[in-house]
Amino acid sequence: MERNKLRQQQTRINSVLYYIHGHLNEALVAQELAERAAYSPHHFHRVFKQVCGTSVNHYIRSARLELAANRLMFEPDTSVIDIAQGCGFQSPASFSQVFKKHFTVSPSNWRAFGYNAYFTQLQEQQKSTLLGAAKKSCLPNVTIKPLPARDIAYVRHLGYDRSITHAWQYLRAWAFSAELDWDKQEMIGLHHSNPDIVALDQCRYVAAITLPTSFCHSSIKNNNSVGVLTIPSGSYASMKVTGTYGDLLPVMHNFYHQWLPTSGYELGTTPGYAIYRDNHFLNSSGQFDLDFCIPVWV
């Protein structure tokens, strides 16, 4: 009984998280989110914190601030006010106050390369992690291509580190129990967070596989850790990347800070994702081969 209860809670909160990330530019009222999850407001707040480790208001604010920080860096022609409103902040003054409290500088100073100091400080705090040891790397050739929508089954994971392996192992075991042919599905890793501005242990990752159109979703409804969502179609900047554990993050950094600012494109609001041909979180070689795809628009 308790296990079924946990499954139901996870499924309901997963649907709310999916909604939150797709509507950060809109008013997100806790009572309406509770109704979406079919909980009373009091029960919703308790369950959300139990599942996510933080309050719903803190989760929404953090997601909005990260989106705003990225847009301030990579959309120099968009005004601070427009970015604030586009990230769901109703008042420019409150946005500036909350942003400075979180990132230690004002939005305007952040845009004027103030983020470099924040990134350097984050590196210093994480000397023993990938960012602190990240080596310089070349930026692979970037091509712009349309990509189709993809229905995926996914497992959420907190942290850009080797523990991502556990999410992939769980997903593979679930796929086997659901009688999915693992080798015929695409393996996809969604990178919700920019590790330049979010501590690695707080970065949000999603391990996923595509689902065939004939797949029955009822087996997912009975699982507390696996959810379903659709990666939207659109234009993506795509790079072929190969390497070993740790080699992808410097490529992401170079893309955001070298290619994007002079490309004429703006960053999309949905997360970038890796399409794995060889997944180093599952294989024995420790090598990966993937296409990293980041949503962009003109």
Side-chain angles (χ1 to χ4, degrees), residues 19-234:
Y19 182 83
I20 286 172
H21 284 284
H23 298 80
L24 288 173
N25 62 325
E26 302 174 13
L28 293 169
V29 181
Q31 183 170 342
E32 294 175 0
L33 295 175
E35 292 173 358
R36 182 171 293 274
Y39 285 126
S40 70
H42 175 76
H43 197 48
F44 171 68
H45 282 285
R46 184 178 64 80
V47 173
F48 189 98
K49 188 168 185 178
Q50 179 181 334
V51 172
C52 298
T54 188
S55 70
V56 63
N57 290 330
H58 184 269
Y59 187 97
I60 292 171
R61 183 168 62 250
S62 296
R64 284 175 166 162
L65 284 171
E66 184 181 345
L67 177 60
N70 282 324
R71 293 190 62 187
L72 286 166
M73 286 190 288
F74 308 130
E75 297 180 25
D77 296 328
T78 306
S79 71
V80 173
I81 291 177
D82 286 344
I83 287 176
Q85 292 176 341
C87 295
F89 293 95
Q90 302 303 312
S91 163
S94 64
F95 167 63
S96 182
Q97 182 180 18
V98 172
F99 190 95
K100 187 172 183 178
K101 182 177 180 180
H102 187 89
F103 290 107
T104 72
V105 296
S106 69
S108 297
N109 287 338
W110 177 269
R111 167 171 276 173
F113 301 102
Y115 57 82
N116 282 332
Y118 188 88
F119 176 50
T120 300
Q121 182 180 19
L122 194 59
Q123 280 188 308
E124 184 67 23
Q125 293 170 354
Q126 301 182 143
K127 279 184 176 179
S128 61
T129 64
L130 288 179
L131 281 183
K135 58 180 180 290
K136 293 181 179 179
S137 64
C138 296
L139 183 67
N141 183 50
V142 179
T143 59
I144 305 298
K145 61 174 67 174
L147 292 178
R150 288 175 166 87
D151 292 330
I152 60 172
Y154 68 90
V155 173
R156 295 185 182 276
H157 180 80
L158 188 64
Y160 286 176
D161 53 39
R162 292 183 186 274
S163 64
I164 288 173
T165 295
H166 301 313
W168 281 108
Q169 289 173 337
Y170 186 96
L171 185 63
R172 185 168 58 181
W174 167 82
F176 179 78
S177 69
E179 299 183 346
L180 274 175
D181 188 339
W182 179 267
D183 292 331
K184 290 185 178 180
Q185 315 310 318
E186 286 185 315
M187 292 181 287
I188 295 177
L190 279 74
H191 292 252
H192 272 279
S193 305
N194 179 352
D196 283 355
I197 58 176
V198 179
L200 286 178
D201 62 358
Q202 295 301 309
C203 286
R204 298 188 302 275
Y205 179 90
V206 170
I209 57 169
T210 53
L211 293 172
T213 55
S214 60
F215 183 74
C216 177
H217 290 187
S218 62
S219 60
I220 292 180
K221 292 180 181 179
N222 293 327
N223 190 286
N224 66 308
S225 296
V226 180
V228 177
L229 60 81
T230 300
I231 299 174
S233 61

